[in-house]
Amino acid sequence: MTFTVAYAQRDGGPACLRLAGELDLSTAPELTAAIDRLAAEGHRELLLDLAGLTFCDSTGIAAFVRGDNLAAAAGGWLRVTGATGRVARVLQMTGLAEVLSYGADRADPATPAAS
């Protein structure tokens, strides 16, 4: 299966990348390049739509973490949404489902959590 990263134009809000296919050792550099490009353009809030992603290995997980670290260094964040099946399971097993999830039921990730 192939892998694609498509920029989804949004009015306001975070920059959105739609991922489809298999994210692994051979395709993770494509995601990393797309994240780097958005960061270089000044985007600090990045949303990755994983609804079309069918597979994600540790290299893909590393790309998510690297992207979040890059965005955080600029005062922003990277979040994921739409994960299903095996991809959702990998995110849950690694603990990233809690850390990187994005949804209407969550507060803005740029806002510190109230204690």
Side-chain angles (χ1 to χ4, degrees):
M1 172 156 235
T2 61
F3 175 74
T4 60
V5 178
Y7 178 74
Q9 186 69 27
R10 293 172 53 115
D11 291 332
C16 183
L17 293 175
R18 288 195 177 115
L19 311 185
E22 298 182 356
L23 180 57
D24 59 22
L25 180 63
S26 66
T27 58
E30 188 176 342
L31 173 59
T32 299
I35 291 170
D36 289 350
R37 191 169 38 256
L38 287 174
E41 292 172 1
H43 296 279
R44 295 181 340 184
E45 298 174 349
L46 309 173
L47 180 61
L48 304 183
D49 181 349
L50 309 182
L53 200 62
T54 58
F55 178 82
C56 180
D57 72 3
S58 61
T59 335
I61 294 298
F64 298 155
V65 171
R66 180 190 172 280
D68 186 46
N69 289 339
L70 180 65
W77 47 261
L78 178 142
R79 296 295 179 260
V80 298
T81 188
T84 60
R86 289 183 281 178
V87 175
R89 178 139 170 80
V90 167
L91 290 172
Q92 289 173 348
M93 289 175 54
T94 60
L96 288 180
E98 182 67 28
V99 175
L100 297 181
S101 69
Y102 179 86
D105 59 334
R106 287 196 48 155
D108 183 335
T111 305
S115 348

